[in-house]
Amino acid sequence: MSRIVYINGEYVPEEEARVSVFDRGFLFADGVYEVTSVLDGKLIDFAGHAARLERSLGEIEMASPVSGEELAEVFRELVRRNALTEGMVYLQITRGADRDRDFDCPVPELVPPTVLAFTQTKNVVGNPAAKTGISVITIDDLRWARRDIKTVQLLYPVLGKKMAKDQGKDDAWMVEDGVVTEGTSNNACIVREGRIITRDLSEKILHGITRKAVLAFAREAQMKVEERPFTVDEAKEADEAFITSASTFVMPVIEIDGARIGDGKPGPVATRLREIYVEESRKSAI
Ligand code: PDD
């Protein structure tokens, strides 16, 4: 069965979905995106993703072409039509396709945005990597300065993941001014003496929806949370490390630049937070 994707108001088999060669997402990375996870055929933290999408669009001075309710409807319909039980819904909105390649932003009344969404199957809860943990390298953060906007401009994260894979590792954490910003496609956290430490929110990192939920669950469970920058050395000496994202939830990190973290196995805090996140997310999924 061919996957059904959503493109500009229509549900079509993936082979039939068409985007213009002049689409500004393709030519200029002039667009934003969201990844929402799906468990038991339901959307996880949809409201958070819809709110961040709205914010990203505002920051690139685009009016939102879909309301939150319409978006929820599209996501649910895609999940239904593709019989998706576990995985993600990917959404991308670009500034549309003008008649030529032209840096100047087109008038929205003449050039409508491109709205694209599709599902991806993934074993997120049962991901075997959660049992073993992952290894990361550190790389300079060479991205642009507005990482709080979820743009489709992802060349550096792509190269960062390639650098990690080329060294036989799983992912990369990015470092700027001596401190960790975040992972290539996730937020980075460490645990020291029972305290969860993760970079504070600013334009330097993406405001992860999973990060927010996990920190709230941690506080509810009386765990101490410190939102502040941390160095690579501090991370290497941490008791535990983990990443958070919609496609990995809470994923233990057991090695940073070849240094073993804790005893080299997923630690109790990351393991517990993963359990709580899955349990609570299932309850509030829509
Ligand atoms: N990435 N930081 C970056 C740079 C990201 O790209 C992501 C998400 C996150 C975590 O955000 P959230 O918890 O809202 O997923 C942090 C998605 C999953 C992706 O690009 O596939």
Side-chain angles (χ1 to χ4, degrees):
M1 193 187 82
S2 159
R3 174 168 37 180
I4 301 297
V5 307
Y6 173 90
I7 176 93
N8 298 329
E10 287 184 72
Y11 296 91
V12 294
E14 62 181 70
E15 307 77 32
E16 290 169 28
R18 294 280 175 272
V19 177
S20 162
V21 293
F22 297 113
D23 194 274
R24 295 178 62 88
F26 179 57
L27 295 179
F28 299 113
D30 186 1
V32 298
Y33 77 107
E34 277 299 327
V35 176
T36 305
S37 44
V38 173
L39 281 186
D40 314 320
K42 291 183 179 171
L43 306 170
I44 303 301
D45 225 330
F46 173 79
H49 290 283
R52 186 174 61 189
L53 173 72
E54 191 75 27
R55 180 177 182 277
S56 293
L57 285 166
E59 293 298 317
I60 67 162
E61 297 183 28
M62 272 186 74
S64 184
V66 278
S67 69
E69 293 86 72
E70 284 164 346
L71 203 61
E73 202 37 56
V74 169
F75 282 17
R76 285 203 183 112
E77 188 62 19
L78 279 175
V79 166
R80 197 183 64 73
R81 289 195 190 215
N82 292 289
L84 180 71
T85 49
E86 192 168 324
M88 286 96 68
V89 180
Y90 176 85
L91 168 82
Q92 174 167 323
I93 300 181
T94 77
R95 215 182 300 266
D98 212 342
R99 277 173 301 173
D100 262 321
R101 178 177 180 271
D102 185 348
F103 279 88
D104 291 344
C105 292
V107 181
E109 290 73 34
L110 299 180
V111 176
T114 303
V115 183
L116 160 74
F118 56 81
T119 53
Q120 241 170 263
T121 302
K122 184 175 176 182
N123 184 8
V124 197
V125 175
N127 186 344
K131 290 259 181 296
T132 56
I134 62 164
S135 55
V136 301
I137 59 167
T138 61
I139 58 173
D140 287 341
D141 197 336
L142 300 181
R143 297 173 301 163
W144 77 325
R146 289 301 307 276
R147 302 151 192 166
D148 55 316
I149 309 173
K150 200 162 172 61
T151 77
V152 295
Q153 181 202 328
L154 294 173
L155 179 57
Y156 194 64
V158 166
L159 294 178
K161 283 189 195 283
K162 183 174 186 305
M163 287 182 240
K165 294 283 151 66
D166 288 348
Q167 294 180 35
K169 308 300 179 190
D170 300 300
D171 208 340
W173 280 11
M174 295 177 282
V175 180
E176 187 179 56
D177 300 330
V179 284
V180 174
T181 47
E182 59 186 331
T184 54
S185 63
N186 41 68
N187 290 114
C189 306
I190 59 172
V191 182
R192 287 174 70 106
E193 290 159 6
R195 305 171 91 84
I196 298 156
I197 304 164
T198 190
R199 186 68 190 248
D200 48 313
L201 296 181
S202 69
E203 293 180 355
K204 291 185 179 291
I205 64 167
L206 185 79
H207 302 186
I209 303 302
T210 320
R211 172 193 181 281
K212 186 177 178 184
V214 166
L215 295 189
F217 295 141
R219 287 181 171 117
E220 272 168 34
Q222 312 302 323
M223 296 181 194
K224 293 268 182 295
V225 176
E226 280 177 33
E227 295 182 63
R228 61 159 176 90
F230 59 87
T231 64
V232 176
D233 281 345
E234 197 179 1
K236 284 183 184 166
E237 287 159 14
D239 304 318
E240 294 182 40
F242 63 91
I243 56 168
T244 61
S245 79
S247 54
T248 58
F249 295 166
V250 176
M251 178 62 69
V253 170
I254 49 127
E255 189 194 296
I256 301 173
D257 285 340
R260 204 173 71 168
I261 306 305
D263 61 1
K265 297 196 193 89
V269 174
T271 304
R272 182 71 194 120
L273 283 175
R274 185 176 173 86
E275 283 167 5
I276 299 176
Y277 182 79
V278 172
E279 208 176 289
E280 294 301 320
S281 299
R282 279 193 203 280
K283 279 191 218 157
S284 56
I286 61 161

